[in-house]
Amino acid sequence: MSKLQQAALNLEEARGLRASGAGYREIGRKLGLSSAQLSHIRRALRREKAAGTRLKSAMPGATSRDLPVAQSGLPAGLRKNLVKSGYRTLGDLADRVSDPALPRIETIPGIGPHKADLVKRLLEYYGLLAGRSDLPAEIERLFPEFF
């Protein structure tokens, strides 16, 4: 697994642990992170939380579709590429990814399959991918002995 893929996986796991109430020090211990890796995760999670808080203050009826791409948990270069391409909110991005008539997101300059996967996983986390069912959770519910 490449360093970028490992960083993305660590961020996803840390997001889940943080949502369950774990502190950053505990997250670092559980995931075996260095202090630099942990500070990267801390900045990304704080940026996402602050964006959500600002959004809810400005627009009380806002949803996760309205979160700005520029303040998401995606890597900085990817966020800049997406904003330059005209995607302001996660809803804009979700519409692009789910529309079969448009070319895939990998066709945007500077975005390859790995970065497109990061975008899709972020959208999946917020529940914005259209047409996706939660197959792994359903399998786990039906066959708990395998997990």
Side-chain angles (χ1 to χ4, degrees):
M1 186 178 291
S2 73
K3 287 184 179 183
L4 289 175
Q5 290 170 331
Q6 186 62 43
L9 182 64
N10 286 341
L11 180 61
E12 288 178 12
E13 290 178 14
R15 192 180 282 134
L17 289 170
R18 190 69 180 143
S20 68
Y24 288 111
R25 185 175 291 165
E26 183 180 347
I27 291 170
R29 283 191 200 124
K30 281 187 179 179
L31 299 179
L33 303 173
S34 69
S35 61
Q37 292 168 324
L38 186 59
S39 67
H40 167 73
I41 286 174
R42 182 181 294 134
R43 283 190 309 269
L45 294 178
R46 284 184 179 174
R47 182 177 49 249
E48 284 182 350
K49 184 177 179 184
T53 302
R54 279 191 299 272
L55 183 65
K56 298 230 187 257
S57 295
M59 299 170 32
T63 64
S64 56
R65 288 186 61 83
D66 301 320
L67 285 171
V69 171
Q71 297 166 352
S72 66
L74 296 170
L78 178 57
R79 288 192 317 260
K80 288 177 186 176
N81 279 346
L82 292 171
V83 169
K84 273 194 236 177
S85 297
Y87 299 104
R88 300 289 177 232
T89 65
L90 292 182
D92 297 339
L93 207 49
D95 293 341
R96 164 67 187 266
V97 169
S98 65
D99 190 355
L102 295 174
R104 294 184 359 199
I105 196 163
E106 290 92 347
T107 60
I108 297 173
I111 298 180
H114 171 68
K115 289 182 180 178
D117 187 48
L118 289 177
V119 169
K120 290 175 186 171
R121 289 183 4 210
L122 180 74
L123 293 175
E124 189 174 327
Y125 171 75
Y126 283 110
L128 297 175
L129 279 182
R132 285 266 175 122
S133 64
D134 194 7
L135 184 61
E138 189 63 24
I139 291 171
E140 185 177 345
R141 187 183 66 77
L142 292 173
F143 306 104
E145 62 272 7
F146 294 119
F147 294 93

